[in-house]
Amino acid sequence: MKIAITGGKAEADFLAASLKEHHKLAVINPDTEYARYLADIHNIPVVCGDPRKAYVLEDAGIRHFDALVSLMADDADSLAVCQLAKEKFGVKKTIAVVTNPRNVELFRTFGVTEVVSSAYMVSQHLAQLSTLSSLVSSFSLENEKIVLTELDVSPGSRTAGLPVCSMHLPPHVIIACIIRSGNMIVPDGQTVVNTGDRLVVLSAAEVQNKLIALFMPEKGSI
Amino acid sequence: MFRFLAGKQHQLAVVAGASRFGTQTAGLFSEKGYDVVIIDADSGAFSKLPDNFDGLTIEGDASDTFVLEAARIKRAAICVAATDSDSTNSLIAQIAACVYVVPAVYCRLSDTANADMLTRCRIHIICPSDLCLQEFERQSRLADNGGIL
C-alpha cells in the first residue's frame, strides 16, 4: 500500500519504522529538525512542510494513495489534512489521531475513515469492564457500534431450556453460534439453548447489556 | 448583558474567535439587536470588543462541541468562525452547519484550496486576501484599463 504519514513525533517515528518494510511511505512533517531526523534514521524521503497546504501534499506526491494518517497536535489540523487529502488528492482512507474524545464521532461524520482517540478507547474499555461479569468477553467492531459477545448460559437464567425463537431477543441481535461440549452448532429458531452452553452473539452495542441479562441468573448481579 | 439574561428571544449570533474581525462583527450584531455570544480561548482577546457590544463572552475552545453548546449554538440564527486558524474555522463552520444546522454560517479562511468542500455545506467563505485583491483592483481600476493607474 501507499501510505502518507503527516505530523507527529514519536508516533510518526514508530509508524515509519513498522510500515517502511512492506509499504511505500510519504512522510510529511512541519518540524524541520524532526523531518531531518526521520529521513536519516529510516532512510526514507521526508517532505518538510505544513501538510495543511495543498502544495505540500502535491510535493509529497500523495495523489491516489491508499491511506493517510494524520498525527497533528491540533485536532482541527488533523481534520483539515484528512479532508484535503480526500477531496483534492483522492486518498482512499484517512485516519486521524485526535486528543479530544468528542471528536471521534464528529470527524467520522465529516468523512474521516477512522478516528482514533486514546481517551475514547480507554473509556469504552472501562465501560465494558464494569458492565461485564467474568463469564463474558466481548469485542467491538465499527467504532464500538457493533459488538461480538461471548457468554455462558448460567443456571437459572430465564432463557436456559428455551428454543431461540421463544427467547424474546432484543432487536439487532443474532446468535452466531452455540459451543456445546466443544462442538459448534449454528442455531436456527428451533435450537434449544441449555445451561452450560457458550454462545457467540453479534449485536448492536446499545442492546448488549439487555442481551447479557437474558443469559444470567434471574436475580443476577448485573 | 442584561437583555440577554432577561431571556427575551432575540435572534442569536455566535461568534467563534475574538480576532479583530470577530470582535467587530460581534459589535455589529449587538448594534443590530441580536443576542451575541463570543468565544475565545484567551480571555485577554475580549479587550478588543467595541463599546457597542452588549453580549456574553465565553472563555474556551470554540471547536469543542461542549463549548459551542454552552454558547447555545442549537438556537443560533447565525454563526461566524473568525479565529486566526483556518483549520479551526473550517471545523467550527462544519459543526455549526452540519451538526447544529445553523441557518447562516460564515467562515474566515486565508487559504481557500479546499473551500468548495465547505460551500457544498452552504457555508459562506470570507477570504481577506481575496477581498484585498478586489479592493486593489477597484481602487487602481486595474480591471478597467488594463494598466496600473
Side-chain angles (χ1 to χ4, degrees):
Chain A
M1 290 211 297
K2 295 182 197 167
I3 304 169
I5 302 169
T6 62
K9 292 272 164 87
E11 310 97 310
D13 193 5
F14 176 83
L15 285 177
S18 54
L19 297 173
K20 67 180 174 184
E21 292 297 327
H22 303 288
H23 302 281
K24 181 184 181 224
L25 297 186
V27 177
I28 305 153
N29 205 290
D31 182 307
T32 321
E33 287 295 305
Y34 209 77
R36 187 169 296 136
Y37 161 80
L38 288 172
D40 289 348
I41 200 150
H42 298 298
N43 201 19
I44 49 172
V46 176
V47 171
C48 175
D50 181 349
R52 297 172 301 177
K53 301 289 177 199
Y55 60 83
V56 173
L57 296 186
E58 191 73 65
D59 275 357
I62 69 154
R63 201 163 289 281
H64 306 305
F65 260 39
D66 298 291
L68 175 140
V69 186
S70 185
L71 304 161
M72 306 293 282
D74 186 329
D75 289 359
D77 288 337
S78 272
L79 176 69
V81 173
C82 288
Q83 290 185 323
L84 187 61
K86 186 183 171 195
E87 290 283 322
K88 300 295 167 196
F89 294 91
V91 173
K92 294 182 192 80
K93 285 191 170 187
T94 53
I95 300 153
V97 178
V98 298
T99 48
N100 184 345
R102 290 192 284 279
N103 285 336
V104 172
E105 310 243 327
L106 194 63
F107 285 13
R108 276 174 67 99
T109 66
F110 296 155
V112 180
T113 324
E114 288 295 336
V115 188
V116 182
S117 144
S118 48
Y120 186 87
M121 277 157 54
V122 169
S123 86
Q124 294 288 330
H125 189 64
L126 288 176
Q128 280 189 354
L129 284 183
S130 60
T131 51
L132 304 187
S133 81
S134 58
L135 288 171
V136 179
S137 67
S138 102
F139 179 75
S140 304
L141 304 160
E142 261 319 288
N143 242 17
E144 325 289 342
K145 288 198 175 66
I146 301 170
V147 287
L148 198 61
T149 313
E150 187 183 51
L151 47 83
D152 294 337
V153 182
S154 306
S157 78
R158 75 187 98 138
T159 47
L162 288 181
V164 173
C165 62
S166 325
M167 283 179 183
H168 302 293
L169 292 175
H172 308 299
V173 169
I174 183 161
I175 300 179
C177 83
I178 301 173
I179 300 161
R180 185 176 295 160
S181 359
N183 298 315
M184 190 186 104
I185 301 164
V186 177
D188 59 26
Q190 305 309 317
T191 310
V192 174
V193 168
N194 297 325
T195 299
D197 283 353
R198 171 160 293 182
L199 309 184
V200 178
V201 186
L202 192 67
S203 73
E206 60 268 23
V207 299
Q208 191 187 32
N209 282 344
K210 224 188 246 180
L211 171 76
I212 291 165
L214 277 176
F215 295 96
M216 291 291 145
E218 286 226 63
K219 285 166 192 157
S221 54
I222 287 192
Chain B
M1 176 80 83
F2 289 111
R3 180 159 60 72
F4 195 103
L5 292 176
K8 275 194 215 162
Q9 293 284 301
H10 295 265
Q11 296 234 83
L12 173 67
V14 173
V15 179
S19 57
R20 206 153 286 278
F21 169 57
T23 49
Q24 294 298 320
T25 317
L28 187 68
F29 282 131
S30 283
E31 207 173 284
K32 301 289 180 193
Y34 281 79
D35 283 340
V36 191
V37 182
I38 185 165
I39 309 164
D40 200 286
D42 169 20
S43 59
F46 298 129
S47 59
K48 293 197 290 289
L49 281 163
D51 293 340
N52 58 3
F53 174 79
D54 66 353
L56 285 181
T57 59
I58 293 182
E59 187 182 344
D61 173 5
S63 66
D64 187 318
T65 47
F66 271 29
V67 175
L68 285 169
E69 290 204 6
R72 299 203 260 171
I73 186 91
K74 281 179 184 167
R75 59 158 280 239
I78 189 164
C79 173
V80 182
T83 74
D84 48 19
S85 152
D86 275 11
S87 305
T88 307
N89 288 344
S90 165
L91 172 55
I92 293 165
Q94 289 179 77
I95 295 172
C98 308
V99 179
Y100 297 104
V101 204
V102 176
V105 179
Y106 293 81
C107 178
R108 187 201 131 118
L109 288 182
S110 347
D111 179 349
T112 53
N114 207 13
D116 50 345
M117 182 193 70
L118 299 179
T119 24
R120 284 205 303 273
C121 310
R122 303 170 295 105
I123 295 165
H124 303 273
I125 307 295
I126 295 170
C127 174
S129 59
D130 282 0
L131 297 176
C132 282
L133 182 65
Q134 282 166 25
E135 183 60 12
F136 173 74
E137 283 182 346
R138 192 188 67 80
Q139 288 194 26
S140 67
R141 295 194 170 77
L142 198 62
D144 295 341
N145 58 23
I148 293 177
L149 301 174

